[in-house]
Amino acid sequence: MTGINRRQFSLLLAGALTAPNLLAQPPVAGPADDKSWLLASAASDSRQQHWLIVSDTQGALRLRHRLLARAHHVAAHPSQPWVAVVAKRPGAFIDVLDYRSQALVQRIEPAPGRLFYGHALFSRDGRWLIATESTVPDGAGRISLRDAQNGFQPVTEFSSGGTGPHELLLNHAGDEIIVANGGIRTQGRLKLNLDSMQPSLAYLKLATGEISEQRMLPPEQHQLSIRHLDLSPDGAVVMAMQYEGDPLDTQPLVALHRRGQELQALSAPEAINRQMTQYCGSVRIDSSGKIAAISAPRGGLITFWDIDQAAYLSSLEVRDGCGLAATATPGEFIASSGNGRVYWLYPREGVREPLMQDMRLDRLAWDNHLCAFQAV
């Protein structure tokens, strides 16, 4: 996220959170201010109803859309007032919503024998919706492209280069997809191949699906599932991983990659690593490109890493904190949590600042990811 400052986000969140009852309020009609920034996330309420929530910088609710089931990632279109929310993996819908008109633009279902795998993004020109999928019979990872100018009709697809693809990114030129293949074959939520899983980081040419580079962890770390990614301005990919081996093992949960090099696992101090409980939830890099924040929701930690030094920096405690966004200020992040809280995070000062003061919203549990974007 660039171009948004702390005050704007304070207005956004404070306004939203002091509303008497967020989900009971009708969304604000009409276009958002051209200069406004929006914050989108999937969420669930105390009645296990699932929602896509979008708010504007004045604290007004811009979109409230009830979902078929729990969702995971939200992607914003670069030139249309659209957001795409992806079902939790393995899932069977992607809803595309117009946050100006509040209309459902399209509900996308996977092809027979396919399931969505939690993440999607729009191409730089907005033409293609690109999603991670898996084939049901054999668990093969697929990357699908759908035409946003033609009712999101499927156009092409290709192998993700592995099993269990999850988050994907575009490189800075927009002509390559970077995909995290978690390596786990599943049946529903049942994991079938933990002894033989083979996670990988793959770079795929957008035009052809050709793999231009693929890296795997060493054999002794083959149960580290690569799940979430972010890309620094100088091309470093930071990976948040989840360990599927013996609960008593101590394995690094963060890794770094630069093109042409091997994957580099990064270790936190042992006590921090154990508190992360072998599970990282999301990763975002700050606006300077120097600091990565990686959430460990099961351990109640947000950890921070120096990208240039490939080293652990610090951590802050955030109960069930998982969603992350970077602000325009270097070294500054926002984190959302499954218990309804949102925080400013200042890792250099070791400080967090709670933003959710209205207890009436505590029942709204933010899902794993935050999407911050400028309104169009």
Side-chain angles (χ1 to χ4, degrees):
M1 178 182 64
T2 57
I4 187 169
N5 58 36
R6 175 181 172 183
R7 182 175 177 276
Q8 287 174 308
F9 249 113
S10 293
L11 287 171
L12 160 65
L13 295 167
L17 303 179
T18 54
N21 185 331
L22 179 62
L23 296 182
Q25 301 304 305
V28 175
D33 187 298
D34 288 343
K35 297 180 181 180
S36 67
W37 283 81
L38 302 177
L39 182 68
S41 178
S44 300
D45 64 23
S46 60
R47 294 184 291 178
Q48 292 304 301
Q49 297 177 123
H50 306 289
W51 304 89
L52 168 64
I53 302 293
V54 180
S55 298
D56 71 16
T57 53
Q58 303 306 309
L61 180 63
R62 285 291 172 183
L63 173 68
R64 175 199 59 203
H65 170 71
R66 187 168 177 177
L67 299 164
L68 295 174
R70 183 178 169 185
H72 190 69
H73 176 71
V74 182
H77 192 280
S79 57
Q80 296 289 335
W82 297 348
V83 286
V85 57
V86 187
K88 181 179 173 63
R89 175 196 63 83
F93 70 88
I94 298 175
D95 281 0
V96 181
L97 280 300
D98 185 320
Y99 52 79
R100 288 184 178 174
S101 69
Q102 305 164 40
L104 177 64
V105 176
Q106 192 75 40
R107 173 160 291 157
I108 304 167
E109 297 179 349
R114 299 290 179 82
L115 289 169
F116 294 124
Y117 257 45
H119 283 259
L121 54 78
F122 288 98
S123 57
R124 291 277 189 268
D125 61 4
R127 179 67 185 273
W128 315 112
L129 179 68
I130 308 166
T132 48
E133 300 189 19
S134 180
T135 59
V136 174
D138 61 4
R142 307 295 292 175
I143 304 296
S144 63
L145 274 68
R146 288 175 168 80
D147 189 346
Q149 295 181 4
N150 185 26
F152 292 90
Q153 291 298 309
V155 174
T156 189
E157 64 172 44
F158 37 77
S159 171
S160 71
T163 301
H166 195 51
E167 186 159 20
L168 72 174
L169 307 170
L170 286 172
N171 68 354
H172 293 306
D175 59 2
E176 277 195 332
I177 303 167
I178 308 167
V179 57
N181 287 301
I184 304 174
R185 182 180 176 187
T186 59
Q187 184 176 66
R189 301 292 291 179
L190 181 64
K191 299 169 183 175
L192 303 175
N193 67 331
L194 296 185
D195 290 337
S196 60
M197 55 184 283
Q198 193 172 42
S200 69
L201 179 71
Y203 297 78
L204 313 174
K205 294 183 179 179
L206 178 61
T208 64
E210 178 186 354
I211 296 177
S212 56
E213 183 170 349
Q214 187 168 28
R215 298 289 174 173
M216 298 178 184
L217 293 160
E220 64 271 19
Q221 294 177 331
H222 79 98
Q223 290 180 311
L224 279 166
S225 182
I226 302 171
R227 309 289 293 168
H228 293 105
L229 309 170
D230 203 4
L231 179 68
S232 75
D234 69 354
V237 177
V238 180
M239 291 162 274
M241 303 187 290
Q242 298 166 10
Y243 184 58
E244 301 290 346
D246 190 325
L248 298 179
D249 288 349
T250 301
Q251 290 280 1
L253 299 169
V254 177
L256 184 68
H257 183 251
R258 295 182 186 277
R259 292 300 296 265
Q261 300 179 12
E262 297 295 332
L263 300 183
Q264 181 181 7
L266 310 184
S267 295
E270 183 173 351
I272 295 294
N273 201 71
R274 288 199 176 279
Q275 191 174 344
M276 293 168 77
T277 62
Q278 303 185 336
Y279 184 98
C280 291
S282 64
V283 51
R284 283 295 174 263
I285 295 172
D286 80 323
S287 61
S288 74
K290 303 296 185 184
I291 299 176
I294 293 182
S295 57
R298 295 179 182 176
L301 283 181
I302 308 294
T303 62
F304 303 98
W305 304 76
D306 185 314
I307 296 174
D308 289 342
Q309 299 300 316
Y312 169 83
L313 283 174
S314 63
S315 64
L316 288 168
E317 294 193 358
V318 177
R319 185 181 175 188
D320 200 17
C322 195
L324 291 168
T327 78
T329 302
E332 187 177 285
F333 298 89
I334 296 171
S336 60
S337 76
N339 64 353
R341 305 301 175 90
V342 180
Y343 297 93
W344 287 98
L345 303 180
Y346 308 98
R348 296 187 191 281
E349 296 81 10
V351 172
R352 75 175 195 192
E353 180 180 326
L355 291 173
M356 297 195 76
Q357 303 298 320
D358 191 324
M359 300 300 290
R360 289 168 287 191
L361 286 179
D362 282 354
R363 296 174 185 171
L364 191 65
W366 300 106
D367 217 277
N368 289 45
H369 298 289
L370 282 174
C371 176
F373 58 99
Q374 193 163 24
V376 297

